[in-house]
Amino acid sequence: MMRALAIGGFLTALLLFAAVEWAARREGSRIPSLAEVCAFVMRYEVGPVPVGRIGLFGFWWWLGWHFLAR
């Protein structure tokens, strides 16, 4: 039961992500695409420290640690 609920939750999140990305890529859309959001985050700095890059690296590390490591 819990496994099916988790799979359903991930499928729902994936479908919502796909719908938002599709809406962002339409002509004249004001919604930023995932690429635009990532580019904005990667440019964020506090002084000489690339905080956005460090944060994005930390997010990928966390994601891999929790979902891909066995």
Side-chain angles (χ1 to χ4, degrees):
M1 173 67 176
M2 291 302 290
R3 182 173 189 260
L5 187 63
I7 291 171
F10 278 109
L11 286 176
T12 301
L14 183 65
L15 288 174
L16 284 172
F17 169 77
V20 170
E21 188 68 18
W22 175 79
R25 293 182 181 267
R26 288 188 350 227
E27 185 77 29
S29 176
R30 295 181 48 157
I31 302 169
S33 68
L34 179 63
E36 293 169 341
V37 171
C38 285
F40 178 78
V41 169
M42 293 286 280
R43 285 192 306 265
Y44 186 73
E45 293 182 353
V46 175
V49 180
V51 177
R53 290 177 188 259
I54 294 169
L56 199 59
F57 175 76
F59 170 73
W60 281 114
W61 178 80
W62 179 87
L63 193 73
W65 184 265
H66 285 84
F67 295 111
L68 304 176
R70 291 269 173 195

